[in-house]
Amino acid sequence: MKFFILAALFAIAAADSYKAAEYAPKYEAPKYEAPKYEEVTYAPQPYSFGYDVQDKESYNDFDHSEKSEANVVTGSYRVALPDGRTQIVTYRADSYGYTADVKYEGEARYPEYKETQQYKAPAYPAPAYKAPEYKAPAYVAPAYSAPAYKAPEYKAPTYTAPAPKATGYAVAPSYKSYAPAPAYKAPAAYPKY
């Protein structure tokens, strides 16, 4: 027993001198650096395109053409306006900005206004409704006849009391009451400490 007590004391003393913080693993949050993006500039590429649409059924009539040389973009587009004119825009975009020259061909035409007769509200005569003609329904009370059936006849049940049979005993049995006295010994006295 003394050995266990000494071992427990040594374990407590060793636990006091143990420094858990020195031996515990250290975790550091990962350092994240934002990616560095380098702006890539490409040399301007020359291009040119053009298209033209003329559809008389849908009243579409326009075209567009554009071309690029180094840092200068030039182009023009033409659109048929609803008033009958054609709008022509010629533009240029360079390091100084966007400039546009807008011209119109043709004259605006609007439908000629004709004064119409004064509007008169239509006169609607009130509809003539004929009063509905309904005949009152004729109800005939149904004739019921009393049912013809015979009431059931009930008879009171008859019982016959059974006659007692002779048992062959002359005297009725007699019983003795038996109550024995309890047989136990008194407990022994308990020792006191």
Side-chain angles (χ1 to χ4, degrees):
M1 183 74 167
K2 292 179 183 178
F3 174 74
F4 290 116
I5 294 173
L6 285 175
L9 287 174
F10 285 124
I12 292 171
D16 285 341
S17 65
Y18 177 72
K19 295 180 182 177
E22 292 178 358
Y23 302 105
K26 295 180 182 178
Y27 296 104
E28 294 181 13
K31 294 180 181 178
Y32 176 75
E33 293 182 14
K36 296 178 181 177
Y37 295 103
E38 294 181 15
E39 186 174 335
V40 180
T41 56
Y42 297 101
Q45 299 294 320
Y47 67 89
S48 67
F49 71 87
Y51 60 88
D52 184 12
V53 174
Q54 290 184 355
D55 185 12
K56 296 196 186 250
E57 291 179 9
S58 64
Y59 301 103
N60 281 326
D61 183 10
F62 59 90
D63 68 13
H64 185 190
S65 62
E66 182 175 292
K67 69 178 181 175
S68 169
E69 295 175 2
N71 293 327
V72 179
V73 176
T74 57
S76 67
Y77 60 89
R78 178 182 55 82
V79 178
L81 299 176
D83 61 5
R85 296 179 299 165
T86 302
Q87 179 184 27
I88 301 170
V89 179
T90 306
Y91 60 90
R92 175 184 175 102
D94 55 14
S95 61
Y96 296 110
Y98 177 86
T99 55
D101 180 29
V102 181
K103 295 179 185 176
Y104 294 95
E105 287 182 352
E107 290 184 22
R109 288 172 285 171
Y110 300 102
E112 195 172 310
Y113 177 73
K114 293 181 183 177
E115 189 171 333
T116 58
Q117 296 177 356
Q118 289 186 350
Y119 175 75
K120 292 181 182 179
Y124 295 107
Y129 294 107
K130 186 177 178 184
E133 295 177 11
Y134 296 109
K135 291 184 181 179
Y139 295 105
V140 178
Y144 295 106
S145 59
Y149 64 90
K150 187 177 178 182
E153 296 177 7
Y154 295 104
K155 291 183 180 180
T158 57
Y159 297 103
T160 56
K165 293 183 180 180
T167 58
Y169 297 111
V171 180
S174 61
Y175 299 101
K176 292 182 182 179
S177 63
Y178 178 73
Y184 64 90
K185 294 181 181 179
Y190 293 108
K192 294 182 181 178
Y193 299 105

